[in-house]
Amino acid sequence: MAIETAFAGPDDISADLRARLLDAFRSLRRRTDALAAPLSDEDMGAQTTADVSPAKWHLAHTSWFWETFLLEPNLKGYTVFDPRFGYLFNSYYEALGERQPRAARGQITRPGVAHVRAYRAHVDAAMADMIGEADEALLAKIFALIEIGIAHEEQHQELLLTDIKHVLSVNPFGECYRAAEPPAKADMVRAGWLEFEGGLHEFGHAGEGFAFDNEGPHHKAWLEPFALSTACVTNGEFAEFIADGGYENASLWLSDGWALIQEECRRAPFYWRGGPGEWREFTLHGERALDPDAPVSHLDYFEASAYAHWSGYRLPEEREWELAARQPGTSTARAMSPDGWLHPHASDQLSLFGGMWQWTRSAYGAYPGYRADKGAIGEYNGKFMCGQFVLKGGSALTPPGHVRASYRNFFPPQAQWQMTGLRLARDV
């Protein structure tokens, strides 16, 4: 939901920009509420694993973000809705004080859902007042923070869906988030390879429009010649890896990954059920027969790496993926709306952007010259640059317009609950 006109300073203030900013904020908040609408109060309070945050917490935390970073410092006379919320709904900002431990967010039975929705309404009204009435100097000061707030809540819209998927998956009766049928399948095109000569190229955010701080600075880097698959790895292809003993062959796995799958007795991707010839998969639309032509998802980094080793290829570097995504004619849009079919589909297979986040073999670290922003907002990305890997492309749950070629998602290598898969690369 990027605001189309980049803001450069007070001289750019116009009634049109102010109106579009307010419309972007209101549209964002309506979509978050709409995503939560199918859920019961009981659904919204559940936390089924330490990685999962309750839907109620997402609704409150995103409101806390607006209140803490925008309203309290900038709206004269603003009254904090509830002083206790700073402890309950701070996520990881050390500069802002102590907080409820992440793994214990499900213990927050009070405030209830109705009280959290009242909190959202309180924040929404105050934000509308501030955007509508701020003088040019104040709007110039807060514009970048509003853009971060929009992108931040979009991230939590996706997290709300991935988290409630896990909550519903452990229900013994196969409850679904929303009834839906997948789009009709188009004729499948056989995967091929796109070859790149390599050389010195430019990477990272170049300064046009919004980007997170970890997407910059813009810089140059050398790539050796490589090729990137035109298609993501499918469920059917991953089933062949399983049938060939992929989960039993230690030589395919990184050491930590092999130890993990032995400890957890893993033999298939996270939401697969059944067995060879009768695989089924849990989705936000309930348990369904596995579509062999759809991209495989909910793999951790170790599984993606093991499959790449088994296939004779490798995972791409993040800059290789970005170079491919910058080619003329490449669209960041998914073929279908993320508010419809909420799962990777066969039509996602040939798109760089859309069906599922794609692991790269690049460790998540700082680009040359990177400096985190000052203050609490500087904790957003920089302090996580250790022990994680970069993912690219977005998923079936990513809000429209949220991703771009320079976007750097990141997760620890054992993370499975996110909609993550892979695309292969090879040296040329």
Side-chain angles (χ1 to χ4, degrees):
M1 195 182 292
I3 302 161
E4 292 183 5
T5 301
F7 182 76
D11 292 342
D12 292 335
I13 290 291
S14 67
D16 178 61
L17 176 59
R18 193 185 295 269
R20 282 187 286 112
L21 187 61
L22 183 55
D23 180 65
F25 173 78
R26 285 173 168 163
S27 297
L28 171 86
R29 301 287 280 179
R30 284 195 299 268
R31 184 171 188 267
T32 304
D33 290 338
L35 292 175
L39 306 177
S40 69
D41 287 2
E42 291 80 6
D43 290 333
M44 293 181 68
Q47 182 177 28
T48 46
T49 182
D51 285 330
V52 165
S53 293
K56 180 181 72 174
W57 188 91
H58 287 295
L59 296 186
H61 166 72
T62 49
S63 300
W64 169 87
F65 188 97
W66 293 109
E67 183 175 64
T68 301
F69 288 103
L70 273 300
L71 293 172
E72 285 190 75
N74 300 297
L75 183 59
K76 187 176 181 179
Y78 176 74
T79 301
V80 172
F81 184 81
D82 188 326
R84 299 172 300 173
F85 286 6
Y87 177 86
L88 293 177
F89 302 122
N90 177 1
S91 52
Y92 50 70
Y93 296 92
E94 298 286 347
L96 297 176
E98 296 183 354
R99 70 210 68 85
Q100 178 82 349
R102 177 175 178 173
R105 290 171 183 170
Q107 297 174 11
I108 304 172
T109 60
R110 299 182 184 184
V113 173
H115 198 46
V116 166
R117 288 197 166 113
Y119 180 36
R120 288 181 66 82
H122 174 87
V123 167
D124 289 351
M127 282 296 301
D129 288 344
M130 185 170 68
I131 294 171
E133 299 173 6
D135 60 32
E136 293 182 357
L138 177 57
L139 199 56
K141 173 186 173 184
I142 65 175
F143 185 88
L145 269 176
I146 292 175
E147 286 194 307
I148 291 174
I150 289 173
H152 167 262
E153 185 150 344
E154 287 177 337
Q155 290 179 323
H156 280 272
Q157 289 174 349
E158 182 166 359
L159 286 167
L160 188 153
L161 291 172
T162 54
D163 290 356
I164 200 63
K165 181 175 182 177
H166 190 272
V167 169
L168 296 174
S169 76
V170 301
N171 190 296
F173 300 108
E175 297 290 339
C176 71
Y177 166 77
R178 178 192 295 157
E181 290 299 322
K185 278 191 181 182
D187 292 337
M188 297 305 298
V189 179
R190 189 172 182 83
W193 295 91
L194 289 174
E195 293 193 358
F196 296 86
E197 293 182 357
L200 190 65
H201 297 277
E202 296 184 355
F203 299 98
H205 181 63
E208 302 87 9
F210 172 77
F212 287 112
D213 65 350
N214 67 350
E215 297 176 54
H218 192 65
H219 62 283
K220 294 180 180 180
W222 180 272
L223 295 182
E224 296 298 326
F226 72 96
L228 190 70
S229 175
T230 60
C232 296
V233 173
T234 66
N235 287 321
E237 290 168 330
F238 201 85
E240 293 176 9
F241 166 78
I242 296 173
D244 195 44
Y247 279 90
E248 287 81 45
N249 186 348
S251 68
L252 301 175
W253 294 80
L254 295 169
S255 177
D256 287 351
W258 181 249
L260 183 66
I261 68 164
Q262 297 307 302
E263 178 184 351
E264 298 185 354
C265 298
R266 291 192 197 173
R267 293 296 179 266
F270 197 40
Y271 287 115
W272 285 26
R273 298 170 177 178
E278 53 182 25
W279 287 115
R280 298 183 64 79
E281 183 177 22
F282 184 81
T283 76
L284 281 164
H285 311 295
E287 186 174 309
R288 310 180 70 92
L290 189 72
D291 180 356
D293 297 324
V296 63
S297 62
H298 294 287
L299 303 180
D300 71 7
Y301 177 83
F302 297 125
E303 290 168 309
S305 174
Y307 178 91
H309 191 174
W310 173 82
S311 72
Y313 300 111
R314 62 173 173 83
L315 298 178
E317 303 284 347
E318 67 164 307
R319 290 183 178 90
E320 292 175 336
W321 194 101
E322 182 177 335
L323 181 64
R326 292 189 181 279
Q327 300 308 299
T330 303
S331 172
T332 62
R334 189 178 182 231
M336 61 204 78
S337 167
D339 294 327
W341 180 249
L342 300 171
H343 197 71
H345 183 258
S347 60
D348 293 315
Q349 188 191 144
L350 299 180
S351 175
L352 273 173
F353 294 89
M356 74 287 136
W357 291 99
Q358 297 151 54
W359 287 105
T360 73
R361 68 177 185 181
S362 297
Y364 175 55
Y367 283 157
Y370 171 80
R371 294 290 185 273
D373 292 335
K374 295 181 179 179
I377 201 69
E379 298 185 49
Y380 201 104
N381 287 307
K383 73 179 188 179
F384 299 110
M385 291 178 174
C386 178
Q388 315 215 45
F389 286 85
V390 175
L391 299 100
K392 306 289 278 187
S395 81
L397 307 181
T398 305
H402 184 74
V403 291
R404 52 203 157 264
S406 62
Y407 197 103
R408 306 175 77 202
N409 200 356
F410 53 92
F411 284 108
Q414 71 275 15
Q416 290 180 297
W417 97 109
Q418 289 301 306
M419 200 167 273
T420 49
L422 76 153
R423 179 186 302 269
L424 297 170
R426 61 178 173 83
D427 300 323
V428 173

